[in-house]
């Protein structure tokens, strides 16, 4: 409370006393004792009212003790059950949760993790993917301001993600790994990895790389084969020893049939092998009839050229040739799509040929684009010429109809450098991305597509797209989301299929360890996204002839259905809208593969390294008796006394209002009782 407020309170007390004395003591003819009571009551009333007017503030300090957290993070992956550690893990988790000494010292939180992490103790050990590094990163963020040692109950086997034993050197929280699994080294042969391109071209051969690993001390001979159905398409005898414990086989297989071709790679197991599941892997290749070839035409070098080429060619079905506007004239029919990068007067002949051939094209406008030339050579749009530039950021249009566009955090992307001025279209167009400045849309398109005379065109009104690809990598730790976006755009522009009200996005085949997500978009007759519809998927197992219907869930600007976990087989499906006579069908194949069942032992080395790097300690599941003692006696995990200071204004103190009512009521009652009213 300030000295000024204290002075006001003292003056209020004096003023209240003077007023009360004036009313009941000065020239009063009443009984002196009764007069003193009335004076006191009136003083309290006036003083309380003046206090409310001054409204002083008081500091309220609450002191409390906060216990440290004990985080139990248990691995929910299928490898735990495969290594016969399910019961051990659950029994250990229950014993920690029920320990009274730990409960007295810690607030115990339980998390389960696989590909993601969740605050739950319902453990099923059925996940086919594990990312330990992501789980530890998430826990580190959740408890970054708290004392929270982590008890990690896992076999240490990770199917994807960063190396958790290296990542956690700077973790604030100590980690105590509980090592699940057999640490005894068994003789084992396995297919460590198969590297195969997703696509191949008809009547060509596609490469296969197989990495085979042996764990044992004796010299052994075995056979590696690749089968397609009941037919063996490759076979080779391989030898291993204690010193020669791995080999890499490189081979090629013919692509003789269009469509998805499934294969099984096998290495013949040894008699003493404990785990034979990792002796085989399935893979598939989609054979296509031809490769889409695109021309990227530019008159000068620019970073966007390399970024576009990388993004487009990330799909093996497509190739890009960077070419100048003169050389392409004699090769124009070799390309399904022509990308025009910042055209100028040198593109005059090319534009004439493109009009004659009615070719699909994608135009990129930047600060070096000759807008006067462009306005004179295109009829679909006109760009205002202001000789000024501006930076524009993208915003996704959720009603874009021609194909499904996922939001890859476009609003976090750096701005593109663009020519300032409006663009007026003379044909109907579809906006994929809108221009925004400081997060405010100016209702102008940044990226559009349109169709004229069965020809498809795209228009990007800005340069430095290479920065988008870089930002996407920073956001997602992968180029794939941005490359998929560019791939869908290029696929649409290179095609001549009619626009459909129902679009479906899915893969031709999936491995059993990946998420199987089918996406769909449905548009009304004006080609605006319809979020009110009910879509359903009719899924038929082609081998077992089982049929089931699954509803889609609306998510952002598309409908999705998650089929992860379905058994390996070939499937036909139909997507249909309730109440609409519109549907689309397709098919895909799920290959049998569970990476979690490829592990034979716990990864003891990494778990022990993790404990060392975080100042924790590792324990084997059969010897955890000292864990509780170590946690309780560790002086790093002490309760913390904290205080909470809260400033409360007097006007919030409701008892003062009650006091005013009480004093006024008492004064009135006494005056009435003594006949003074």
């Amino acid at each position: 409370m300030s000295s000024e407020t204290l002075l006001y309170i003292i003056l209020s007390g004096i003023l209240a006393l003077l007023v009360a004395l004036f009313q009941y003591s000065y020239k009063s003819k009443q009984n002196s004792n009764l007069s003193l009571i009335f004076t006191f009551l009136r003083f309290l009333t006036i003083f309380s009212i003046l206090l409310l007017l001054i409204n002083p503030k008081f500091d309220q300090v609450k002191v409390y003790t906060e216990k440290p957290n004990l985080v139990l993070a248990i691995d929910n992956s299928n490898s735990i059950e495969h290594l016969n550690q399910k019961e051990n893990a659950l029994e250990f988790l229950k014993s920690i949760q029920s320990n009274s000494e730990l409960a007295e010292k810690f607030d115990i939180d339980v998390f389960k993790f696989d590909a993601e992490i969740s605050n739950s103790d319902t453990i099923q050990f059925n996940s086919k993917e594990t990312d330990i590094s992501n789980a530890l990163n998430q826990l580190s963020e959740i408890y970054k301001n708290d004392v929270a040692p982590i008890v990690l109950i896992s076999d240490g086997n990770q199917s994807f993600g960063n190396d958790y034993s290296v990542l956690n050197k700077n973790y604030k929280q100590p980690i105590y790994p509980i090592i699940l699994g057999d640490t005894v080294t068994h003789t084992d042969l396995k297919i460590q990895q198969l590297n195969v391109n997703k696509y191949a071209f008809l009547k060509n051969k596609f490469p296969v790389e197989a990495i085979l690993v042996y764990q044992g001390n004796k010299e052994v001979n075995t056979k590696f084969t690749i089968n397609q159905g009941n037919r063996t398409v490759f076979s080779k005898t391989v030898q291993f020893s204690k010193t020669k414990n791995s080999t890499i086989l490189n081979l090629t297989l013919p692509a003789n049939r269009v469509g998805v071709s499934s294969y099984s790679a096998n290495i013949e197991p040894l008699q003493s092998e404990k785990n034979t599941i990792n002796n085989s892997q399935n893979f598939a290749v989609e054979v296509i009839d031809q490769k889409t070839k695109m021309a990227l035409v530019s008159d000068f070098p620019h970073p966007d050229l390399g970024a576009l080429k990388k993004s487009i060619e990330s799909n093996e079905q497509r190739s890009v040739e960077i070419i100048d506007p003169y050389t392409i004239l004699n090769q124009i029919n070799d390309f399904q799509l022509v990308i025009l990068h910042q055209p100028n007067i040198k593109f005059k002949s090319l534009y004439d040929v493109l009009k004659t051939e009615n070719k699909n094209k994608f135009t990129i406008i930047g600060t070096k684009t000759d807008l006067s030339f462009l306005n004179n050579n295109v009829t679909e749009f006109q760009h205002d010429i202001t000789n000024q530039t501006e930076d524009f950021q993208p915003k996704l249009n959720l009603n874009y109809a021609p194909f499904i566009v996922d939001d890859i955090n476009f609003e976090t992307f750096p701005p593109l450098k663009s020519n300032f001025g409006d663009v007026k279209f003379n044909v109907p167009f579809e906006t994929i991305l809108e221009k925004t400045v400081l997060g405010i849309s100016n209702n102008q398109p940044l990226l559009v597509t349109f169709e004229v005379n069965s020809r498809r065109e795209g228009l990007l009104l800005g340069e430095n797209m290479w920065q988008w690809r870089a930002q996407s990598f920073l956001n997602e730790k992968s180029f794939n989301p941005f490359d998929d976006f560019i791939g869908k755009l290029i696929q649409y522009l290179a095609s001549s299929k009619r626009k459909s009200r129902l679009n479906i996005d899915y893969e031709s085949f999936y491995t059993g360890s990946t998420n199987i997500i089918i996406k769909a978009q449905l548009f009304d007759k004006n080609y605006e996204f319809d979020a009110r519809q009910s879509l359903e998927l009719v899924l038929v197992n082609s081998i077992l002839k089982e049929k089931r219907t699954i509803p889609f869930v609306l998510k952002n600007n598309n409908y999705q259905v998650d089929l992860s976990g379905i058994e390996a087989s070939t499937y036909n499906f139909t997507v249909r809208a309730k109440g609409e006579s519109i549907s689309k069908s397709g098919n895909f194949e799920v290959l049998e593969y569970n990476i979690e069942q490829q592990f034979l032992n716990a990864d003891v080395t990494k778990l022990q390294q993790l404990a060392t790097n975080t100042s924790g300690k590792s324990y084997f599941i059969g010897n955890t008796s000292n864990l509780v003692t170590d946690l309780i006696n560790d002086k790093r995990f002490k309760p913390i006394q904290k205080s909470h200071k809260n400033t409360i204004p007097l006007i919030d103190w409701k008892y003062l209002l009650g006091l005013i009512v009480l004093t006024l009521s008492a004064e009135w009652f006494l005056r009435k009782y003594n006949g003074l009213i």
Side-chain angles (χ1 to χ4, degrees):
M1 186 185 303
S2 65
S3 57
E4 184 180 358
T5 303
L6 185 60
L7 180 61
Y8 283 144
I9 293 174
I10 294 171
L11 292 175
S12 297
I14 296 172
L15 180 60
L17 183 60
L18 290 175
V19 172
L21 289 172
F22 177 79
Q23 289 181 333
Y24 284 107
S25 297
Y26 183 68
K27 295 182 180 180
S28 176
K29 299 179 181 179
Q30 299 175 10
N31 179 283
S32 59
N33 291 332
L34 197 60
S35 177
L36 286 174
I37 294 174
F38 287 146
T39 301
F40 177 70
L41 292 174
R42 182 57 57 93
F43 165 76
L44 287 178
T45 302
I46 297 173
F47 183 60
S48 298
I49 293 172
L50 290 174
L51 279 180
L52 287 177
L53 293 175
I54 297 171
N55 192 27
K57 296 178 174 61
F58 301 92
D59 290 334
Q60 184 184 54
V61 179
K62 291 183 177 179
V63 179
Y64 60 95
T65 300
E66 186 177 273
K67 294 193 291 185
N69 297 285
L70 179 63
V71 181
L72 305 180
I74 183 166
D75 192 338
N76 189 45
S77 63
N78 187 241
S79 64
I80 303 298
E81 185 169 14
H82 179 64
L83 295 176
N84 299 317
Q85 295 297 319
K86 177 180 178 179
E87 297 301 326
N88 289 337
L90 292 176
E91 184 178 337
F92 172 77
L93 178 65
K94 185 178 180 181
S95 68
I96 294 295
Q97 287 180 293
S98 60
N99 189 286
S100 58
E101 290 182 284
L102 289 176
E104 184 178 348
K105 182 173 181 177
F106 296 96
D107 288 327
I108 300 176
D109 296 327
V110 180
F111 292 83
K112 69 176 181 181
F113 66 89
D114 35 59
E116 300 292 337
I117 187 169
S118 59
N119 188 204
S120 172
D121 56 0
T122 304
I123 318 298
Q124 297 175 318
F125 303 106
N126 59 354
S127 177
K128 296 181 179 180
E129 293 183 320
T130 318
D131 188 353
I132 298 176
S133 62
N134 175 64
L136 295 178
N137 278 322
Q138 294 291 327
L139 291 174
S140 181
E141 283 297 313
I142 293 171
Y143 297 99
K144 62 182 178 182
N145 297 320
D146 301 317
V147 177
I150 300 171
V151 177
L152 181 70
I153 309 167
S154 175
D155 58 8
N157 293 314
Q158 180 172 266
S159 57
F160 72 102
N162 297 315
D163 187 346
Y164 60 87
S165 66
V166 175
L167 282 176
N168 301 296
K169 285 184 178 179
N170 298 320
Y171 272 13
K172 176 184 175 182
Q173 312 296 352
I175 300 176
Y176 295 82
I178 306 301
I179 303 172
L180 301 171
D182 192 354
T183 59
V184 178
T185 301
H186 296 277
T187 301
D188 186 53
L189 279 171
K190 69 176 178 179
I191 301 175
Q192 180 74 25
Q193 190 171 332
L194 279 176
N195 297 320
V196 188
N197 290 336
K198 189 173 183 179
Y199 302 99
F201 300 99
L202 186 64
K203 297 181 181 178
N204 285 348
K205 290 187 176 182
F206 60 91
V208 178
E209 182 181 65
I211 302 175
L212 311 179
V213 175
Y214 168 67
Q215 184 174 285
N217 299 319
K218 299 179 180 179
E219 291 188 3
V220 295
N221 294 327
T222 187
K223 183 182 289 186
F224 174 77
T225 59
I226 296 180
N227 299 322
Q228 185 178 22
N230 297 322
R231 184 169 62 94
T232 300
V233 294
F234 178 83
S235 175
K236 185 176 181 179
T237 300
V238 288
Q239 297 177 334
F240 296 99
S241 65
K242 183 178 181 180
T243 55
K244 186 189 175 184
N245 55 10
S246 67
T247 187
I248 299 176
L249 299 180
N250 289 289
L251 58 121
T252 58
L253 297 176
N256 298 323
R257 179 176 60 86
V258 174
V260 177
S261 297
S262 300
Y263 299 87
S264 173
N266 303 278
I267 183 168
E268 192 174 285
L270 304 174
Q271 289 185 350
S272 58
E273 274 195 76
K274 181 179 179 180
N275 181 17
T276 58
I277 295 177
N278 58 13
N279 288 58
S280 63
Q281 280 193 34
N282 296 321
F283 66 96
V285 174
E286 185 175 359
V287 180
I288 54 179
D289 197 1
Q290 60 181 354
K291 194 169 188 174
T292 305
K293 191 175 181 182
M294 277 143 280
L296 181 49
V297 186
S298 180
D299 182 44
F300 60 92
H302 193 282
D304 282 353
L305 302 178
L308 275 170
K309 181 177 173 65
K310 283 282 188 181
S311 290
I312 296 170
E313 290 186 341
S314 64
N315 187 325
E316 295 91 343
Q317 297 181 69
R318 307 183 184 105
S319 66
V320 177
E321 183 176 342
I322 300 176
I323 195 169
D324 65 71
Y326 299 116
T327 306
I328 191 178
L329 296 176
N330 297 323
Q331 307 174 26
I332 194 71
N333 291 322
D334 294 342
F335 305 104
Q336 286 75 47
L337 177 67
V338 178
I339 304 173
L340 305 166
H341 180 259
Q342 304 210 40
N344 52 38
I345 190 65
K346 297 180 182 180
F347 285 66
K348 172 61 178 167
S349 299
L350 177 57
Y351 268 88
D352 293 339
V353 173
L354 291 174
K355 287 179 183 177
T356 303
E357 298 291 335
N358 200 35
K359 279 279 189 182
N360 293 359
K361 59 180 180 286
F362 178 30
T363 306
I364 300 174
I365 296 177
T367 57
K368 293 185 179 180
T369 303
D370 188 339
L371 294 179
S372 297
F373 162 77
L374 197 62
N375 288 340
N376 291 329
N377 283 272
V378 298
T379 58
E380 295 81 15
F381 62 89
Q382 295 288 294
H383 197 304
D384 289 348
I385 302 175
T386 63
N387 295 320
Q388 296 181 17
T389 61
E390 180 66 276
D391 293 335
F392 295 104
Q393 283 188 285
K395 179 183 177 183
L396 179 63
N397 173 27
L398 299 180
N399 287 323
Y400 181 73
F403 58 88
I404 295 176
V405 180
D406 294 322
D407 189 352
I408 55 174
N409 293 322
F410 286 107
E411 295 184 15
T412 68
F413 285 7
L416 296 186
K417 182 72 71 175
S418 181
N419 295 284
F420 185 77
D422 293 344
V423 180
K424 300 177 180 64
F425 286 87
N426 302 317
V427 296
F429 65 95
E430 300 264 9
T431 300
I432 303 178
L433 300 174
E434 301 173 356
K435 291 180 179 179
T436 66
V437 179
L438 299 176
I440 301 173
S441 175
N442 61 4
N443 297 317
Q444 281 287 309
L446 182 62
L447 176 61
V448 302
T449 60
F450 50 90
E451 298 184 24
V452 182
N453 298 327
S454 71
R455 181 182 74 250
R456 289 182 174 177
E457 293 195 32
L459 178 65
L460 175 64
L461 296 156
E463 63 178 273
N464 296 330
M465 183 189 278
W466 66 270
Q467 295 180 359
W468 284 8
R469 191 169 189 258
Q471 184 63 49
S472 179
F473 182 84
L474 293 176
N475 291 346
E476 306 292 339
K477 303 295 184 282
S478 170
F479 290 116
N480 291 340
F482 180 79
D483 291 347
D484 289 345
F485 165 67
I486 294 296
K488 288 180 181 180
L489 175 63
I490 295 300
Q491 181 180 3
Y492 168 76
L493 294 176
S495 174
S496 299
K497 294 180 181 179
R498 291 183 58 191
K499 184 165 63 175
S500 171
R501 287 179 54 204
L502 178 60
N503 297 324
I504 307 175
D505 186 11
Y506 67 100
E507 300 288 341
S508 300
F509 63 89
Y510 302 87
T511 59
S513 60
T514 59
N515 292 328
I516 304 172
I517 307 292
I518 296 181
K519 300 177 182 179
Q521 279 184 324
L522 182 64
F523 299 89
D524 60 24
K525 295 180 180 179
N526 293 322
Y527 287 96
E528 292 185 355
F529 180 67
D530 192 346
R532 301 166 299 172
Q533 283 287 352
S534 294
L535 292 183
E536 60 184 16
L537 178 85
V538 180
L539 184 68
V540 180
N541 187 318
S542 303
I543 297 176
L544 301 178
K545 304 303 179 184
E546 294 177 348
K547 178 179 178 181
R548 55 175 169 157
T549 302
I550 308 167
F552 278 82
V553 176
L554 180 64
K555 187 175 182 181
N556 298 327
N557 64 326
N558 58 66
Y559 295 89
Q560 297 185 10
V561 63
D562 188 349
L563 301 177
S564 303
I566 62 175
E567 59 187 319
S569 184
T570 57
Y571 293 89
N572 297 318
F573 69 89
T574 300
V575 178
R576 64 191 183 194
K578 294 181 180 179
E580 289 262 9
S581 57
I582 183 171
S583 63
K584 249 185 183 178
S585 298
N587 59 78
F588 61 87
E589 183 174 350
V590 179
L591 306 178
E592 185 173 1
Y593 180 66
N594 186 345
I595 193 171
E596 294 292 334
Q597 295 183 357
Q598 305 300 309
F599 302 115
L600 186 64
N601 302 94
D603 198 332
V604 178
T605 303
K606 283 189 177 181
L607 289 174
Q608 290 179 337
Q609 186 65 43
L610 174 66
T612 302
N613 291 341
T614 58
S615 301
K617 186 178 179 181
S618 62
Y619 303 84
F620 290 99
I621 188 63
N623 186 23
T624 59
S625 56
N626 294 328
L627 173 64
V628 174
T629 304
D630 291 344
L631 289 172
I632 292 174
N633 294 333
D634 197 317
K635 295 181 179 180
R636 292 175 294 176
F637 315 138
K638 291 182 178 180
I640 300 174
Q641 191 175 71
K642 294 185 176 181
S643 62
H644 179 72
K645 183 179 179 181
N646 189 22
T647 302
I648 304 173
L650 187 64
I651 200 169
D652 290 342
W653 196 49
K654 56 188 177 182
Y655 297 109
L656 188 59
L657 181 61
L659 178 63
I660 294 172
V661 173
L662 180 63
T663 55
L664 288 174
S665 300
E667 184 181 344
W668 178 86
F669 176 78
L670 290 173
R671 287 171 62 88
K672 185 73 173 176
Y673 182 79
N674 290 280
L676 299 176
I677 297 178

